[in-house]
Amino acid sequence: MRGASGAARRWMNHGATGVITVGGWATIVSVLGIFVYLLMETAPLFEAASWSKAASVDVDAGERDGVHPRHVGVGIDDSMTVGHVLRRGDVAFYALPSGDRIRPDAVPVFAPGRITAVARSPAGAHRYGLGTVDGRVIPLRVRYRVTFGENGRNVTPVVTAGEPVAAVPAAGASVSTAGAAVPTAGASVSAAGAAVPAVGAAMSAAGAAVPAAGAVARLAFLDGDDGTTVAALTASGRLFLTKVEETESLLTGERARDVRRVEITGARVGTLSALLLDGAGDTLVGGTADGRLLHWDIREAQRPRLMGTYDAGAPVTALAYLIGDRSLVVGARDGTVAVWLSMTDPGAGGDPRLQKVRDFAPHTGAVTAVSPSLRDKGFLTADAAGGVAVHYSTSHRTLFTIPGDGAPVLAAMLAPKTDGAVVFRDDGRLAVFDVENDHPEVTLSSLFMPVLYEGYDVPKAMWQSTGGSDAFEPKFGLWPLMFGTLKGTMYAMLLAAPIAVLGAIYTAMFMRPAVRAVIKPVVETMAAFPTVILGFLAGLWLAPLLETIFPAVVAVFLVLPPVVVSACVGWHYLPSRFNLPSGTVTELVACMVVLGGTVWVCVQGNQQIEAWLFDSNYRQWMLSTFGLEYDQRNALVIAFAMGMAVIPVIFSISEDALSNVPRHLIAGSLALGATPWQTLTKLVMVSASPGVFSALMIGLGRVVGETMIVLMATGNTPLLEMNLLNGFRTLSANIAVEMPEAPQGGTLYRLLFLAGLMLFVFTFLVNTVADVVRQRLRVRYGQF
């Protein structure tokens, strides 16, 4: 029987050892698996963009003789299966990647030599304006109609031409001049107060007959849903602005056209080498051959106003607005590429001013084309040596460069989904490239350093993942979220740590065992209280209450310490007949009466306290004195709510550590004449310090990872302020807020995993440091 019993115990020991071993290894593997999974989801954020050649189509060389970049347009459909080349008004379509020619029905045909300029409208990917030799501009729209049949998905190109716009007045017509009258040939032209030599044919005063100015040499074109805006520079160096507004009668349905035309004069109009309209038709930008940028306000069509002239540093050869029309890309003859931001200058009457903010990797030749992305702040540039580069403005990156072969690029376009590019070169080749560029906005600098965003004058660290329009510039700065996490942790621990540790000291060292047997389980039970309930109460009950009684709360923090000290001194000096043993229920009740009574008195005198301390209006007083605004859901609310959540954890572990100090050591200290406080500070706290430190570290990790309380009670505003009276957003709350809106595999989705990885690493480091310190304290003070 004894042998059988011993064998059973051995098998039980082996079984228990195996279960514990498997459980331990399973825990380690699970933690490592979580880390690896987070790392795998995060790693693609930092993968470099790449490209590959998808197709090359040889266009008939005989059709490209004398073609200039301003005569050419190029485009591609959303699925990158059909591309087109627009040369002097003739549109040719090609199936991709085969290169087979597609001949759609009813394609407009223009006489040879009639089209002298081509411009793409910022209102659509495939809307063009065709400038003619007789000074008119023809709107041309290319659409890709998608159908599904037996052969699958079919893409059919459709080309339509609109009613021509007379951009340049005919001989004998009258035209007004912006700024001042235009004298005859040989005299000077006044624009914005500057005198310049006349260019080309004779010009008469405003309202007089003006002879035909000739063909359209350069063109800026906007084909909107409510009308058309055209800026045309003639071969003779005259600049005309034309706005056409179309209205429809509600009664008859007839459409009427209101045409307004004005000539823009100025010192450098004749040297313009590039023109650009914004998507709303409110501003006109011109680049000159002597390296200047001219910025006009054209909201009032009859009175365009020059808002500023800027030094671009080199002759301007290409211009483009990024989506949203706040960032201007400037390409120059020396190959430089720069982004200028439109900023509001209060000293200039509210007019926006242009400021160069970013330079990108230069090209080896003159920049001949700039194509903005239709989805984000990326853009493509191409040069006269055949090179192509893709950049991203917000992250200030040149994502990749496609080397040239010497043939100048005449036109280029980023695909509508930014997953490809199409390039037409002077040697007649139409090249199509596949682009892998999933996360261009992410760099270590853009995540953790201030970035100059559109609409701001200085770089800022910000988090704002979504906006109200496609033109929104995502702001993925993680520093405000990290700061909010540290802010909430600091304020919560400042409140919770002293209360929990001091409570544990009193419970372990001074409280009667019978009382401790009741108090400790009650406090430990509070640790199981659902944090979602705490967050709910904090957001809907505590936050409004604190807003109402804030002066009383300030008074409590000022009055309570001296009141408690006075009560303790008074209790100590009570007559002997009232002196009760320490740690009894009576002592606890007396303490609660003192604390509760002090709080009650302060709350009852809230209005009077506000009058004494805050001049009867604490919000206005704090704003005028310290510049602080009071938000209802703020860090003070979080300090109370998260303090309630973490106090039981710190209290329980600290009390266990203090209670486990050997009683014979305490008895020996007291027997040698040490007072209870000397024994506590010199012996008990030193021996229990590893456990108390572990309790604080566990509480710290608990606060850092808290989600529901901060989600429901902070306002979730990612601010970089230590102000106790405003809100913040933590990494964990940000994951909960943003994850339902994050498309799988997108930048936001992976950044949320990066936030989770940061929390994982931080918690791991905190626990590791805590364990190392605890072990060293144990070795030092002999606590085994």
Side-chain angles (χ1 to χ4, degrees):
M1 293 295 293
R2 291 183 179 178
S5 175
R9 283 196 300 269
R10 285 195 299 272
W11 279 107
M12 290 179 63
N13 289 337
H14 288 312
T17 302
V19 170
I20 293 172
T21 303
V22 170
W25 278 107
T27 302
I28 295 173
V29 171
S30 298
V31 172
L32 288 177
I34 294 173
F35 176 76
V36 171
Y37 177 72
L38 292 173
L39 197 62
M40 290 175 60
E41 290 291 341
T42 301
L45 287 171
F46 304 100
E47 291 181 355
S50 60
W51 61 275
S52 60
K53 198 166 188 177
S56 180
V57 180
D58 191 11
V59 178
D60 185 5
E63 299 179 8
R64 65 176 186 270
D65 294 338
V67 174
H68 188 274
R70 66 173 181 266
H71 302 151
V72 182
V74 69
I76 196 169
D77 73 314
D78 290 356
S79 59
M80 296 181 61
T81 57
V82 178
H84 69 262
V85 178
L86 172 64
R87 295 164 298 166
R88 293 188 180 276
D90 295 330
V91 188
F93 294 91
Y94 301 91
L96 301 173
S98 66
D100 296 336
R101 181 75 178 266
I102 301 175
R103 302 184 184 275
D105 299 331
V107 176
V109 178
F110 303 96
R114 185 185 179 195
I115 305 302
T116 57
V118 174
R120 190 189 301 272
S121 170
H126 307 303
R127 298 185 183 185
Y128 300 94
L130 310 181
T132 66
V133 70
D134 57 358
R136 297 193 296 171
V137 174
I138 304 171
L140 187 75
R141 294 190 180 187
V142 176
R143 294 186 298 110
Y144 291 100
R145 187 171 60 214
V146 179
T147 59
F148 294 88
E150 296 181 356
N151 297 326
R153 187 175 187 272
N154 299 312
V155 179
T156 304
V158 179
V159 185
T160 57
E163 184 176 351
V165 176
V168 178
S174 61
V175 60
S176 60
T177 305
V182 184
T184 58
S188 63
V189 181
S190 174
V196 298
V199 181
M203 295 172 282
S204 62
V210 180
V216 176
R218 284 178 173 80
L219 179 64
F221 176 73
L222 172 63
D223 182 12
D225 295 331
D226 299 326
T228 304
T229 303
V230 174
L233 182 72
T234 68
S236 59
R238 300 174 65 186
L239 179 61
F240 293 92
L241 174 68
T242 305
K243 282 196 173 186
V244 179
E245 294 184 1
E246 297 186 0
T247 57
E248 183 176 350
S249 173
L250 296 177
L251 297 177
T252 63
E254 295 180 353
R255 298 185 66 86
R257 303 184 82 194
D258 177 24
V259 181
R260 288 172 290 172
R261 183 187 303 110
V262 65
E263 181 178 3
I264 300 176
T265 58
R268 291 184 171 85
V269 167
T271 64
L272 287 171
S273 53
L275 291 171
L276 179 66
L277 289 165
D278 70 342
D282 293 335
T283 61
L284 170 65
V285 178
T288 68
D290 59 354
R292 298 285 177 171
L293 287 177
L294 310 179
H295 192 206
W296 286 280
D297 178 0
I298 59 171
R299 287 173 292 183
E300 296 185 30
Q302 295 300 111
R303 292 187 297 176
R305 182 169 55 88
L306 183 66
M307 294 185 290
T309 301
Y310 309 92
D311 184 8
V316 178
T317 55
L319 296 170
Y321 273 117
L322 300 185
I323 184 171
D325 299 332
R326 298 296 298 269
S327 298
L328 174 68
V329 182
V330 179
R333 186 183 299 168
D334 62 357
T336 57
V337 177
V339 168
W340 296 59
L341 285 186
S342 177
M343 299 181 176
T344 301
D345 189 354
D351 282 342
R353 58 181 173 84
L354 297 179
Q355 179 175 324
K356 185 167 72 169
V357 295
R358 299 182 183 103
D359 286 303
F360 292 85
H363 287 266
T364 56
V367 178
T368 57
V370 177
S371 174
S373 168
L374 302 179
R375 292 194 166 194
D376 52 32
K377 301 301 178 179
F379 60 97
L380 175 149
T381 56
D383 61 42
V388 177
V390 174
H391 319 268
Y392 198 86
S393 176
T394 306
S395 58
H396 196 179
R397 299 171 62 193
T398 297
L399 302 173
F400 60 82
T401 300
I402 303 175
D405 56 4
V409 174
L410 300 181
M413 178 186 171
L414 270 176
K417 294 182 180 179
T418 321
D419 56 351
V422 58
V423 175
F424 181 65
R425 291 189 171 95
D426 187 51
D427 59 2
R429 287 184 295 112
L430 179 68
V432 180
F433 301 93
D434 287 328
V435 174
E436 290 289 338
N437 183 28
D438 295 330
H439 312 290
E441 57 272 77
V442 175
T443 63
L444 291 176
S445 177
S446 64
L447 292 178
F448 300 106
M449 299 295 292
V451 175
L452 182 58
Y453 295 105
E454 295 178 350
Y456 295 88
D457 294 333
V458 295
K460 291 182 177 292
M462 301 181 65
W463 174 275
Q464 188 179 0
S465 60
T466 56
S469 69
D470 293 337
F472 171 76
E473 182 177 28
K475 302 168 181 64
F476 289 135
L478 291 178
W479 176 234
L481 306 180
M482 298 167 58
F483 182 87
T485 302
L486 296 176
K487 175 181 176 179
T489 300
M490 185 190 73
Y491 285 127
M493 291 298 291
L494 282 177
L495 181 68
I499 294 175
V501 173
L502 292 176
I505 292 172
Y506 179 78
T507 303
M509 298 300 299
F510 301 102
M511 189 174 287
R512 294 290 177 175
V515 180
R516 183 171 67 235
V518 175
I519 295 298
K520 187 180 179 184
V522 171
V523 176
E524 289 177 340
T525 302
M526 293 173 56
F529 202 72
T531 56
V532 65
I533 303 299
L534 289 176
F536 178 78
L537 293 175
L540 297 183
W541 172 74
L542 182 60
L545 178 63
L546 288 180
E547 183 181 25
T548 303
I549 65 169
F550 178 76
V553 174
V554 175
V556 166
F557 280 102
L558 295 176
V559 173
L560 195 58
V563 168
V564 170
V565 171
S566 301
C568 292
V569 172
W571 182 272
H572 180 71
Y573 286 103
L574 281 175
S576 57
R577 64 178 180 274
F578 297 109
N579 236 340
L580 299 174
S582 177
T584 61
V585 174
T586 304
E587 189 177 70
L588 285 179
V589 171
C591 182
M592 293 172 60
V593 169
V594 172
L595 297 177
T598 304
V599 172
W600 182 83
V601 170
C602 291
V603 172
Q604 293 302 311
N606 182 63
Q607 292 185 352
Q608 189 61 43
I609 294 171
E610 185 175 19
W612 289 340
L613 299 181
F614 303 106
D615 197 20
S616 298
N617 190 330
Y618 76 89
R619 287 177 175 273
Q620 184 61 40
W621 186 87
M622 287 192 299
L623 183 62
S624 60
T625 305
F626 300 108
L628 302 178
E629 294 186 1
Y630 185 96
D631 296 335
Q632 185 184 85
R633 299 188 178 187
N634 53 47
L636 181 62
V637 177
I638 294 302
F640 283 110
M642 283 208 296
M644 288 297 296
V646 77
I647 281 175
V649 176
I650 301 176
F651 169 86
S652 179
I653 300 175
S654 298
E655 200 277 338
D656 287 340
L658 293 165
S659 298
N660 287 331
V661 175
R663 289 297 168 181
H664 66 273
L665 295 179
I666 299 175
S669 174
L670 295 174
L672 291 173
T675 66
W677 277 106
Q678 288 175 329
T679 300
L680 171 66
T681 56
K682 302 296 185 180
L683 173 64
V684 177
M685 286 301 297
V686 171
S687 299
S689 57
V692 174
F693 183 79
S694 297
L696 292 174
M697 292 297 100
I698 292 174
L700 179 67
R702 171 80 166 77
V703 173
V704 168
E706 177 54 47
T707 301
M708 294 309 301
I709 295 177
V710 293
L711 181 66
M712 303 175 73
T714 62
N716 287 304
T717 49
L719 303 175
L720 276 171
E721 298 179 11
M722 283 303 296
N723 180 8
L724 180 65
L725 305 179
N726 63 13
F728 56 90
R729 181 183 289 191
T730 65
L731 288 167
S732 57
N734 190 65
I735 295 173
V737 169
E738 301 279 4
M739 186 58 79
E741 307 296 330
Q744 186 173 4
T747 299
L748 176 59
Y749 178 85
R750 298 196 183 280
L751 283 176
L752 297 180
F753 276 93
L754 177 61
L757 180 63
M758 293 170 61
L759 286 173
F760 183 94
V761 172
F762 180 81
T763 305
F764 178 80
L765 292 176
V766 167
N767 291 335
T768 302
V769 171
D771 189 66
V772 171
V773 173
R774 181 174 60 85
Q775 293 296 338
R776 290 188 176 183
L777 290 174
R778 277 188 172 185
V779 171
R780 181 174 180 180
Y781 297 113
Q783 178 69 20
F784 295 99

